Amino acid sequence: MNDSAYSGYSSYTYSYEATTTTTTSTTTTTTKSSSGKSTSTSPSKAGPKAVIALGDNPIHGSGLGAFTIDGCPLPSMDYSPGGQDQFLRAALPCIEAMWKPSLQKANLPYQPVELVMVTSQITNTCGSMGPDRTAMYCDGTIYWTPNHYANEQGSANPNHPGKYLGQLAHEYGHHIQWLSGILRASSQAQYEKGGWDTEPGLDLNRRKELQATCFGGMTLAPLSHGAVPNDVISVALADAGSRGDYPIYPNRDHGAPERNAAWVNHGFRTNETSACNTWLASAADVS
């Protein structure tokens, strides 16, 4: 893969099983959290439940967005795996603090995302992945591939803290989708359309990925008010616009780079989840 010509986001994989339930799955897995404690990676059975819906999901309600925080102290960037781990774990509490109020306001479940550094071939509940691919979100966990990002040397994605913060914001966008029930609903819809690699399935996948990009732009909005340096924000936004489906890519499942640029900036400017409702957007806007 030529990173100067194509640089992709992760794809979320969900093993769909036919069901009529509208609550979250009760299956749980356990991973090691940033605090070192073992925690569940499924929303709790008690309390608010995810809603298995797309365009009419409660996360798209009015007045929901990434809330402003006072600051976000980030360490100096070290591009080694350990340095990336430290940087991302410092950013995550800020992101969690911005998004938790909206999930609570929408009466949706909340739990912090898990972060796992992938430096060798692994298998998780979504399948297998190696350290040479982009990050992957799966069932409450971001699987981050530090060597891949450190080795990206294309002119559109240089080693800069903004690239890492922007990619983390996109992956956290998938976490919002998972908590709200959108990921399960989109996987169900793709199953009913004959699979993710059919034309209707790819359209659904682009809507899912572009919404995560838009949510990523929303995450950057509060951080731009002095919480982090302006150059970090600007690089994060530019990096998002360099990723997506280039002509050399066989499946158009993430949206063209110009569509990623449009949605990340739309989320950044509006900071409203309703503005990121890609499920109701025209086909041209998710092409």
Side-chain angles (χ1 to χ4, degrees):
M1 181 184 299
N2 182 352
D3 285 328
S4 65
Y6 167 74
S7 184
Y9 280 123
S10 70
S11 291
Y12 170 86
T13 304
Y14 181 88
S15 298
Y16 172 67
E17 296 179 2
T19 179
T20 57
T21 183
T22 57
T23 61
T24 54
S25 169
T26 57
T27 300
T28 61
T29 57
T30 302
T31 58
K32 190 175 181 182
S33 70
S34 57
S35 64
K37 298 179 181 179
S38 294
T39 58
S40 167
T41 58
S42 292
S44 172
K45 296 178 184 178
K49 302 295 184 182
V51 178
I52 312 307
L54 296 173
D56 57 348
N57 193 284
I59 197 61
H60 301 130
S62 62
L64 303 180
F67 282 56
T68 299
I69 57 175
D70 292 334
C72 187
L74 298 176
S76 298
M77 191 58 174
D78 171 357
Y79 298 107
S80 69
Q84 291 183 45
D85 183 69
Q86 183 182 26
F87 180 86
L88 298 176
R89 291 190 190 280
L92 275 175
C94 307
I95 296 174
E96 302 280 3
M98 291 188 290
W99 278 103
K100 183 177 180 180
S102 281
L103 288 158
Q104 293 175 325
K105 186 175 179 180
N107 196 33
L108 290 166
Y110 165 80
Q111 70 177 50
V113 73
E114 299 293 329
L115 178 66
V116 172
M117 292 286 137
V118 178
T119 56
S120 61
Q121 191 75 23
I122 66 164
T123 299
N124 56 35
T125 56
C126 295
S128 298
M129 70 176 295
D132 57 344
R133 57 160 290 172
T134 52
M136 178 185 190
Y137 179 86
C138 176
D139 294 344
T141 301
I142 295 170
Y143 292 88
W144 188 269
T145 47
N147 291 331
H148 169 83
Y149 290 106
N151 290 333
E152 276 189 339
Q153 297 299 324
S155 59
N157 46 27
N159 261 346
H160 187 283
K163 176 176 73 173
Y164 296 82
L165 185 62
Q167 284 282 279
L168 181 66
H170 172 89
E171 297 303 328
Y172 195 83
H174 284 311
H175 189 56
I176 299 299
Q177 292 175 319
W178 182 69
L179 290 170
S180 63
I182 284 175
L183 284 185
R184 186 168 181 179
S186 65
S187 293
Q188 178 176 329
Q190 286 178 311
Y191 175 86
E192 293 170 349
K193 294 291 186 180
W196 76 271
D197 55 352
T198 63
E199 282 302 318
L202 289 169
D203 175 82
L204 287 164
N205 213 79
R206 291 193 297 272
R207 293 175 189 275
K208 175 182 65 183
E209 292 295 337
L210 289 168
Q211 181 173 58
T213 295
C214 191
F215 284 167
M218 290 178 60
T219 295
L220 297 171
L223 296 176
S224 70
H225 302 153
V228 301
N230 288 335
D231 68 305
V232 173
I233 300 298
S234 61
V235 170
L237 291 169
D239 180 73
S242 75
R243 299 181 185 272
D245 301 328
Y246 283 82
I248 63 170
Y249 196 54
N251 291 315
R252 297 184 55 256
D253 60 351
H254 282 62
E258 56 267 30
R259 298 275 67 79
N260 278 279
W263 281 106
V264 74
N265 283 290
H266 189 55
F268 181 74
R269 290 192 304 268
T270 63
N271 196 8
E272 289 278 347
T273 54
S274 58
C276 291
N277 194 345
T278 56
W279 309 103
L280 302 183
S282 69
D285 286 337
V286 294
S287 61

